[in-house]
Amino acid sequence: MSIQRARDLRRTMSHTERRLWHRLRGGQIEGYRFRRQHPIGSYFADLICLEARLIVEVDGPQHGEAAQQAHDAARTAWLAHEGYRVLRFWAHEIDDDLDGVLTAIRRALLEWPAVRDRPPPPRRRAIT
């Protein structure tokens, strides 16, 4: 179920998400590899570097609404509890200053170099 949903999300990525993905894929930033629309718990990360435990979210206009902001805050808190760092960028930031966004992502990857040396947390089995 979540695998098919992830495939659907990858197929229907926004132009902005796709533009950022093309600059992150294949280890283009310091050799760190990203995945797109990766399932984590009941969520899907827009872009994720599992090795650095860094999630990059692309927020469109709907993320400015109060209900969505509350949902995003709860989601970010849950992801932080699971050991992930979350960077959020507005779509217009990516459209207007892609190089600045890539610099911020690179900085985040390099600020925590010890993450590469840490083993990932143990996997938890989903309760079905």
Side-chain angles (χ1 to χ4, degrees):
M1 173 165 91
S2 66
I3 293 172
Q4 185 57 47
R5 175 80 174 127
R7 286 178 182 152
D8 291 343
L9 288 169
R10 284 191 292 271
R11 232 182 340 266
T12 60
M13 288 174 69
S14 71
H15 169 75
T16 303
E17 288 173 322
R18 194 171 305 282
R19 190 169 171 230
L20 181 58
W21 164 243
H22 282 291
R23 296 290 299 271
L24 293 177
R25 65 188 290 190
Q28 294 182 61
I29 297 182
E30 303 294 326
Y32 284 96
R33 298 184 62 87
F34 280 82
R35 294 180 182 194
R36 57 193 172 128
Q37 303 301 338
H38 183 77
I40 303 172
S42 60
Y43 302 110
F44 291 87
D46 287 344
L47 300 162
I48 184 171
C49 175
L50 292 172
E51 179 182 10
R53 301 189 67 74
L54 178 68
I55 295 171
V56 178
E57 290 293 314
V58 179
D59 292 343
Q62 72 277 13
H63 289 270
E65 298 173 9
Q68 186 63 47
Q69 288 177 343
H71 178 268
D72 289 344
R75 180 180 188 268
T76 298
W78 184 85
L79 290 166
H81 181 266
E82 295 295 312
Y84 293 95
R85 296 171 290 141
V86 179
L87 291 180
R88 301 188 90 79
F89 296 99
W90 291 103
H92 69 83
E93 288 180 283
I94 296 166
D95 290 335
D96 296 343
D97 186 18
L98 181 57
D99 289 334
V101 168
L102 292 169
T103 298
I105 294 168
R106 182 179 184 276
R107 189 177 311 122
L109 288 166
L110 297 178
E111 281 177 357
W112 290 279
V115 173
R116 278 189 163 183
D117 300 329
R118 264 188 261 153
R123 292 186 117 188
R124 295 187 201 145
R125 296 195 106 167
I127 299 174
T128 56

